[in-house]
Amino acid sequence: MKLKTTMLVVLLLIAACSSGCVDSDKKVHTYRCTVDNGTLYLSGDGTYELLIDESMGGGGIYGNYSIRDHAVLLKRAFIGDILVLKQDGRDLIDWDGDRWTRD
């Protein structure tokens, strides 16, 4: 009986991990701009952080994002406007035409 219970718990853990239910919001995808060395972090919980390289003035923006019609929509916190990055395979193309490659 103890073996059956242990096997059931193990199978449930494997199923939860495989389905993405465990720690899915902690997954972060990192993109780097090939033009100005900016870094974009897209988290599994629907938030993002875009850091601007010091050579380009520094700073950054953050907020929530969504994905629609092969584009990543970045909504800037406190401002409310949306920046669009079009998906190109694993990479993203920003509003200026710069390519962001995924690590």
Side-chain angles (χ1 to χ4, degrees):
M1 183 69 166
K2 198 174 194 178
L3 179 60
K4 286 183 181 179
T5 304
T6 303
M7 291 301 292
L8 178 61
V9 169
V10 168
L11 287 174
L12 287 173
L13 286 172
I14 291 171
C17 290
S18 298
S19 71
C21 294
V22 178
D23 290 337
S24 63
D25 61 340
K26 294 185 182 199
K27 186 169 186 156
V28 176
H29 295 287
T30 304
Y31 294 86
R32 305 218 188 269
C33 184
T34 58
V35 175
D36 60 12
N37 297 324
T39 305
L40 172 64
Y41 300 101
L42 297 178
S43 298
D45 63 358
T47 60
Y48 76 91
E49 185 174 11
L50 190 148
L51 302 176
I52 300 165
D53 190 66
E54 291 297 323
S55 65
M56 301 300 287
I61 58 174
Y62 62 94
N64 296 320
Y65 76 92
S66 60
I67 300 174
R68 278 189 239 145
D69 299 323
H70 302 290
V72 176
L73 309 173
L74 305 178
K75 183 173 182 181
R76 293 198 275 187
F78 305 112
I79 299 173
D81 64 342
I82 295 176
L83 305 172
V84 178
L85 295 117
K86 295 184 179 175
Q87 292 179 323
D88 183 27
R90 287 179 42 97
D91 298 343
L92 301 173
I93 307 296
D94 72 11
W95 50 95
D96 291 334
D98 299 340
R99 179 171 293 276
W100 295 74
T101 59
R102 185 170 164 187
D103 285 352

